[in-house]
Amino acid sequence: MSERVYGAVTDTGRRREHNEDSHGLSPEAGLFVVSDGMGGHQAGEVASALAVETITKAVLEGQSLEEAISQAHQAILEAGRQNLGVRGMGATVVALRLTDIDYEIAWVGDSRAYLWDGSLSRLTRDHSLVQRLLDEGALTPEEARNHPNGSVITQALGALELADVKVDTVRGRLYAGQKLLLCSDGLTSELEDDEIAAYLGQGGQAQDMAERLVEAANQHGGRDNTTVIIVDAPSGAQARPGRGDTRPINTDALNDVIGQSKKARSKNAIIAAVLIIFFLLALAVGGWLWAQFAARPAPEPEEGGAPVSSVAPVKPSNQYFS
Ligand code: CA
């Protein structure tokens, strides 16, 4: 396996006194983790550090990302019960596992993963109130951008009311020149996706890009802690295939596609039924007209043998219904 090339930066930002984000770098295992802690000083950073530690240990022991993240939830709950940190402290997480050129990303909360290959694609879907309202069509993307509850998440590791967390995952293949970006919401609450893309588009090494993004988040206000990890595709990765080849899709997006194609199928069935009815009606009218034409009496030749017009004078239509 080729050496992993990556960059990582975490920063307290301009407004906060403590950095409650944590991150884990295990390049030899292809494992990278970003966790954003909440609950305040001596709580948030305890929760996020525990998340990274638990996930790293579990994955290195052979567990799946999903199992490892569920364990992190239990570990934070247990720490709260034992008065390590604060009861009710929590953390979001986004974790990446690379096996050769294939990747798996798993997450809980609003820490995100993106794919960069000259354009930016978001791979994760936030577990947040705003995302849920967007999904239900209750908000436009414009309203979502400045929503007052923009930081409310619908699940977190360590949340007391959750017996377990629902971990979402996305898998795909990494092609030559592509990069994966993991980040806490300190980045995405300051920069829109197109701004992130513009900064990444300035190029450079993964570490330069990560530093540039965190600096930009700080320049835009730096209201939160920001953590960014950027991982390059391995040097042995294949050239990117054309359209129509395998591309990643997460569980929610997959359900959307299935729902849309079901809708399209039922719409097509209605259109087909209407067309058939029109066709049958046209057939009936055509048949009726043909019957009228065939039933007309043959014209009698006039004396003197003058040519007879082949078009018979049309008789009043009521004649045929008597
Ligand atoms: Ca945060």
Side-chain angles (χ1 to χ4, degrees):
M1 189 180 65
S2 57
E3 197 188 330
R4 301 258 175 236
V5 178
Y6 64 93
V9 179
T10 187
D11 193 86
T12 305
R14 298 268 166 90
R15 304 277 178 89
R16 303 201 174 181
E17 290 185 4
H18 304 280
N19 190 347
E20 296 180 39
D21 285 358
S22 295
H23 65 290
L25 306 166
S26 312
E28 63 293 340
L31 177 67
F32 299 87
V33 187
V34 168
S35 180
D36 176 351
M38 59 202 77
H41 183 40
Q42 298 295 321
E45 59 261 53
V46 173
S48 66
L50 197 49
V52 171
E53 187 188 310
T54 308
I55 291 163
T56 304
K57 186 164 178 283
V59 169
L60 295 182
E61 284 172 0
Q63 305 213 37
S64 70
L65 280 183
E66 222 168 322
E67 292 165 336
I69 290 175
S70 286
Q71 273 189 28
H73 173 55
Q74 301 304 334
I76 295 169
L77 285 174
E78 184 56 30
R81 283 193 285 268
Q82 294 185 4
N83 293 324
L84 304 166
V86 173
R87 206 170 132 77
M89 63 186 172
T92 71
V93 70
V94 59
L96 159 68
R97 184 83 202 269
L98 277 162
T99 47
D100 198 13
I101 53 173
D102 291 322
Y103 66 82
E104 182 184 8
I105 289 162
W107 75 98
V108 167
D110 63 356
S111 290
R112 291 182 186 169
Y114 292 87
L115 178 71
W116 169 253
D117 62 355
S119 64
L120 191 68
S121 325
R122 198 188 300 179
L123 298 176
T124 53
R125 192 172 215 170
D126 296 346
H127 301 148
S128 70
L129 179 64
V130 163
Q131 183 63 52
R132 190 174 285 180
L133 292 172
L134 269 172
D135 293 344
E136 289 168 3
L139 283 184
T140 64
E142 185 52 43
E143 288 168 332
R145 225 163 271 155
N146 304 308
H147 200 275
N149 292 324
S151 59
V152 175
I153 54 175
T154 50
Q155 58 168 354
L157 305 181
L160 293 171
E161 67 279 13
L162 297 178
D164 204 352
V165 283
K166 182 187 166 292
V167 181
D168 270 327
T169 57
V170 57
R171 292 180 180 83
R173 177 153 290 180
L174 212 48
Y175 294 100
Q178 294 184 326
K179 295 174 194 294
L180 290 167
L181 160 68
L182 309 180
C183 62
S184 62
D185 74 334
L187 180 74
T188 52
S189 57
E190 298 295 357
L191 301 178
E192 298 298 335
D193 287 3
D194 55 351
E195 293 172 302
I196 295 173
Y199 284 109
L200 290 172
Q202 293 173 10
Q205 300 298 310
Q207 184 64 30
D208 303 327
M209 289 176 155
E211 286 170 9
R212 194 184 305 134
L213 285 178
V214 172
E215 178 57 28
N218 284 337
Q219 281 171 1
H220 279 69
R223 285 165 287 190
D224 197 357
N225 313 136
T226 302
T227 303
V228 170
I229 299 177
I230 294 179
V231 183
D232 282 11
S235 54
Q238 307 156 10
R240 185 182 163 204
R243 276 181 169 276
D245 290 297
T246 311
R247 284 196 281 171
I249 191 162
N250 68 37
T251 11
D252 287 338
L254 182 64
N255 289 337
D256 283 356
V257 171
I258 292 169
Q260 276 164 15
S261 81
K262 271 188 189 157
K263 260 190 226 163
R265 269 206 302 276
S266 63
K267 197 173 152 195
N268 287 344
I270 291 169
I271 292 171
V274 169
L275 286 176
I276 288 169
I277 289 167
F278 268 109
F279 177 73
L280 290 175
L281 275 174
L283 212 60
V285 170
W288 179 78
L289 286 173
W290 175 251
Q292 309 312 306
F293 183 74
R296 81 198 195 288
E300 287 172 18
E302 282 173 27
E303 271 180 49
V308 174
S309 157
S310 64
V311 178
V314 175
K315 300 198 171 186
S317 65
N318 58 4
Q319 177 180 338
Y320 303 101
F321 294 98
S322 60

